[in-house]
């Protein structure tokens, strides 16, 4: 199969499929590349936060390098196991300077990346191992500053309806919740 350029539009869009039949872990590598492309900021929304080591490292490195790295995840999730497993990653990300926002009004299921003011990606891929390795996913990267501004406005509205996770929030949770989180994290490779 050879990609064919579409005609009729003026905005460059790259559609990236990924899945378990790929030679490489395309979805994880794509997310890492989005993070590495950012020069000022990378904002990511995902209903699940169970990243692999490569994505974790890229997020921490970007934040430690002074970029504005924000993750938007829901307070309420449709997967209790994935929601509990997410706590494993929050303190380490917060300690590196990643700001984690918990969306309050209800279930947030958007999978969006904002890269500086240059562009944004809309995806079916979550920030989890299932999307990175087991599911067939599709991501559209839109290289357009006008679209990036619209996505920025969407994020700003969602951040205004979120609470920010404070550093050491997980360490200060109840013992039961910390143990449940560690137990749920055992299933992270399949989440």
């Amino acid at each position: 199969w050879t990609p064919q350029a579409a005609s009729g539009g003026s905005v460059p869009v790259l559609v990236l499929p990924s899945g378990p039949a790929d030679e490489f872990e395309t979805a994880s590598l794509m997310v890492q590349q989005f993070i590495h492309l950012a020069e000022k900021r990378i904002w990511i929304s995902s209903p699940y936060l169970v990243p692999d080591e490569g994505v974790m490292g890229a997020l921490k490195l970007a934040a430690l390098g002074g970029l504005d790295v924000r993750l938007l995840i829901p307070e309420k999730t449709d997967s209790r196991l994935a929601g509990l497993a997410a706590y494993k990653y929050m303190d380490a990300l917060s300690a590196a300077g990643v700001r984690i926002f918990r969306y309050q009004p209800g279930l947030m299921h958007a999978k969006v990346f904002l890269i500086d003011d240059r562009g944004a990606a809309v995806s079916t891929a979550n920030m989890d191992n299932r999307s990175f390795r087991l599911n067939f996913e599709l991501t559209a990267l839109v290289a357009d500053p006008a679209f990036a501004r619209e996505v920025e406005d969407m994020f700003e509205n969602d951040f205004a309806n979120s609470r920010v996770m404070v550093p050491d929030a997980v360490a200060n949770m109840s013992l039961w919740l910390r143990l449940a989180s560690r137990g749920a994290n055992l299933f992270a490779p399949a989440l």
Side-chain angles (χ1 to χ4, degrees):
W1 176 76
T2 303
Q4 300 295 317
S7 60
S10 62
V11 174
V13 177
L14 178 62
V15 177
L16 303 166
S18 60
D22 295 351
E23 182 178 355
F24 300 103
E25 294 175 343
T26 308
S28 177
L29 292 172
M30 173 193 62
V31 171
Q32 291 176 58
Q33 181 64 17
F34 288 161
I35 296 166
H36 293 308
L37 283 173
E39 296 173 355
K40 295 184 296 184
R41 70 172 169 197
I42 180 79
W43 294 355
I44 301 171
S45 68
S46 177
Y48 311 117
L49 179 62
V50 189
D52 62 13
E53 288 182 28
V55 171
M56 275 291 288
L59 287 167
K60 290 191 282 188
L61 185 61
L64 290 168
L67 273 65
D68 178 8
V69 182
R70 300 184 194 185
L71 298 177
L72 176 67
I73 59 175
E75 184 76 42
K76 300 176 187 98
T77 181
D78 60 349
S79 172
R80 182 80 171 145
L81 196 58
L84 285 169
Y87 287 113
K88 164 84 167 68
Y89 307 95
M90 291 182 190
D91 277 349
L93 289 168
S94 291
V98 175
R99 295 178 62 200
I100 301 171
F101 292 78
R102 303 296 302 265
Y103 185 73
Q104 298 297 301
L107 180 64
M108 187 271 317
H109 216 267
K111 297 115 177 170
V112 180
F113 304 83
L114 178 62
I115 305 160
D116 299 327
D117 300 323
R118 297 178 290 159
V122 179
S123 184
T124 62
N126 298 301
M127 292 282 288
D128 64 14
N129 287 299
R130 182 169 290 285
S131 284
F132 291 165
R133 291 177 184 83
L134 302 175
N135 293 348
F136 289 96
E137 305 287 1
L138 196 63
T139 302
L141 178 59
V142 182
D144 179 54
F147 182 68
R149 280 191 297 279
E150 291 180 34
V151 171
E152 178 183 23
D153 291 343
M154 178 198 72
F155 267 110
E156 292 290 1
N157 183 56
D158 289 342
F159 292 148
N161 289 296
S162 301
R163 73 177 177 92
V164 180
M165 293 286 293
V166 296
D168 297 325
V170 177
N172 295 324
M173 293 186 322
S174 71
L175 176 62
W176 179 91
L177 197 52
R178 288 195 318 267
L179 290 174
S181 173
R182 289 180 184 162
N185 192 258
L186 294 173
F187 298 95
L191 294 177

